[in-house]
Amino acid sequence: MNSKLLKRTLRDGMKADLIVKNIGILLTPKVTKGPIKGKDMDCVETYQDAFLAVKGGKFIDFGEHDFSSLIDENTEMVDAGGKLVTPGLVDSHTHVVHGGSREYEFEQKMRGVPYLDILKAGGGIHSTVKMTQEISKEGLYQQSKKSLDFMLGFGVTTVEGKSGYGLELETELKQLEVQKELHENHPVDIVPTFMGAHALPKIYEADRRSFLDKVIGMFDEVKKRNLAEFVDIFCEDGAFSVEDSRYLLDAAKNYGFKLKIHADEVVALGGVPLAVELKAHSADHLMAINDEGLEALANSDVIANLLPSTSFYLNSTYAPARKMIERGLALALSSDYNPGSSPSENFLFTLNIAAIHLKMSPNEILTAATYNAAYGIDRADEVGRIAKSYKADFVIYDALNWPYVLYHFAINHVKDVYKMGVKVIDNKRKIWEV
Ligand code: NIG
Ligand code: FE
């Protein structure tokens, strides 16, 4: 958490530090217990002509009732101008900290070379590993900061971020340290994941187990320096098998890490039942999920984290979101921002794609991009909804309703972004004055 934000928010007494009034529509997911599943994702609390009140960086009240008792001469009053307000968006699967970019592989991809073939030939993730190893810590910080600035501009106030572009201790730690510094200095909160098993270095091809042991050997340092909460692995053809994933995730669990898994992105190997068995917080991608995977998730609280920007960018299949909702799964949506399969920080565009290709309703999308996303990164008790004692992270849009934001696509409709009650983005752009 950014310490400058915290300082701004301390004041004695019962009165609000900030009141946002004249909110045309205020939306927040309808929460009961646990993640929001199946058809419940379509129920969102809606307040009209509403207000919200903040004190000490947290919401203290909101709704349609009279708020005059919360005001004194020090309360800052903001007029939302009848516009739409939602909780700050939560992007719960990103690879935000990485060196360089891969535009030179883009043409290959456009000519139809499959993602996994580029990886097999030593490109893809391996190219970014090289660039991340070579970039200075300062260079990595600046590149990642720029991405976080973009994300914040699209209304994202909390992200998950993974390592995995080092595949050796020094660079994995460099990524995680940069991420920790950004978490402390930037308004966006970052929930850190260690993903040392993101790809198998060529020299370990004949001996995968010793690479996994090497990654497990890094746990100690990561834990000691408090650099990650979660451990993730790429369970996929051409990356790591289900047995490999079980071996690594079991060890991670014993170390006290929480778990995530990249599963069924291209092939349904069996990573999803494994995620359920090990009580992972989320199983991510799921484009190729089969009936066994759906059944396993339906009987669990594991979040199905869908990343439709990746399907869009790889021109591949989309996760069967409607089927998942019918089966009662709890869905989140994330950008998967990374330099290979989803090089865009525009989370609102991810949500546009969810509407068009996943055929999710506006309410389902809001639930998936706020509360359920927070649930998958173990933050459901502090962000992802407008509720008393939650962090006062919220977005004021230059739009009158949420369906409009999803319909008018690929445009940034965000007007102002508040993190812990402090305005951190003001997107009022001056074009020119005559
Ligand atoms: O989530 N699939 C594995 N990892 C990333 C892609 C990483 C890359 O191509 O650099 C993903 O899609
Ligand atoms: Fe990913």
Side-chain angles (χ1 to χ4, degrees), residues 145-155 186 345-346 412:
K145 179 186 174 298
K146 193 168 169 186
S147 287
L148 285 174
D149 290 347
F150 279 136
M151 289 169 161
L152 189 63
F154 287 111
H186 197 280
E345 297 92 336
N346 185 343
N412 192 358

Side-chain angles (χ1 to χ4, degrees), residues 93 95 102 105 109 115 119 124-126 128 162 165 195 198 234 236 262 265 285 307 310 314 336 338-342:
H93 179 139
H95 303 255
R102 306 222 291 269
E105 282 176 5
K109 220 176 274 169
Y115 178 78
L119 180 67
I125 294 173
H126 298 296
T128 301
K162 304 173 196 296
Y165 290 116
M195 198 176 178
H198 192 194
F234 189 15
E236 188 59 64
H262 281 59
E265 180 173 354
H285 280 296
L307 320 172
T310 307
L314 297 181
D336 192 21
N338 75 73
S341 63
S342 183

Side-chain angles (χ1 to χ4, degrees), residues 1-2 5-6 8-9 17-18 54-58 157 187 189 391-394 418-424:
M1 181 196 308
N2 184 314
L5 288 181
L6 194 62
R8 282 273 309 264
T9 56
D17 301 330
L18 168 74
V54 177
K55 182 174 172 53
K58 302 202 167 157
T157 46
D189 283 336
K391 281 191 185 176
D393 301 351
F394 61 94
Y418 285 76
K419 180 75 189 172
M420 294 187 73
V422 177
K423 194 198 270 193
V424 285

Side-chain angles (χ1 to χ4, degrees), residues 182-367:
L182 284 163
H183 171 68
E184 281 156 10
N185 298 329
H186 197 280
V188 173
D189 283 336
I190 312 178
V191 175
T193 297
F194 173 55
M195 198 176 178
H198 192 194
L200 185 71
K202 268 219 154 357
I203 52 163
Y204 286 96
E205 260 167 19
D207 188 7
R208 330 165 58 79
R209 196 42 78 88
S210 66
F211 179 69
L212 293 171
D213 284 332
K214 191 177 120 163
V215 175
I216 291 168
M218 300 179 201
F219 286 173
D220 210 36
E221 202 60 29
V222 172
K223 191 101 226 167
K224 217 163 53 199
R225 300 200 205 177
N226 199 17
L227 289 173
E229 268 178 52
F230 286 88
V231 164
D232 194 346
I233 184 166
F234 189 15
C235 180
E236 188 59 64
D237 246 5
F240 298 97
S241 67
V242 177
E243 291 68 43
D244 295 339
S245 305
R246 177 190 296 283
Y247 184 69
L248 183 106
L249 294 178
D250 252 338
K253 200 170 184 170
N254 288 335
Y255 248 90
F257 289 107
K258 294 170 266 189
L259 309 179
K260 296 187 158 286
I261 187 165
H262 281 59
D264 297 0
E265 180 173 354
V266 186
V267 184
L269 284 187
V272 175
L274 179 68
V276 173
E277 183 193 325
L278 296 180
K279 293 196 164 45
H281 273 67
S282 70
D284 301 43
H285 280 296
L286 314 180
M287 284 118 92
I289 194 168
N290 58 18
D291 263 345
E292 190 198 352
L294 286 169
E295 187 59 25
L297 285 176
N299 294 310
S300 79
D301 278 349
V302 178
I303 295 286
N305 199 2
L306 308 188
L307 320 172
S309 297
T310 307
S311 303
F312 173 82
Y313 200 73
L314 297 181
N315 213 0
S316 61
T317 50
Y318 287 87
R322 289 271 35 110
K323 209 168 165 183
M324 290 171 158
I325 290 171
E326 272 162 36
R327 297 284 287 265
L329 271 57
L331 270 50
L333 286 162
S334 301
S335 71
D336 192 21
Y337 171 58
N338 75 73
S341 63
S342 183
S344 171
E345 297 92 336
N346 185 343
F347 192 40
L348 289 184
F349 188 53
T350 300
L351 305 187
N352 295 149
I353 301 171
I356 295 164
H357 289 286
L358 300 185
K359 310 211 177 320
M360 290 171 70
S361 74
N363 283 349
E364 289 165 350
I365 289 172
L366 188 82
T367 303

Side-chain angles (χ1 to χ4, degrees), residues 97-99 131-145 170-182 225 227:
V97 177
H98 60 263
M131 289 183 263
T132 308
Q133 286 169 341
E134 284 167 1
I135 197 170
S136 69
K137 204 170 166 190
E138 176 59 19
L140 191 58
Y141 184 95
Q142 289 307 333
Q143 177 174 341
S144 313
K145 179 186 174 298
E170 192 186 335
T171 312
E172 290 290 320
L173 291 179
K174 180 167 80 176
Q175 272 190 279
L176 291 171
E177 278 164 2
V178 162
Q179 202 165 254
K180 192 173 185 183
E181 283 171 30
L182 284 163
R225 300 200 205 177
L227 289 173

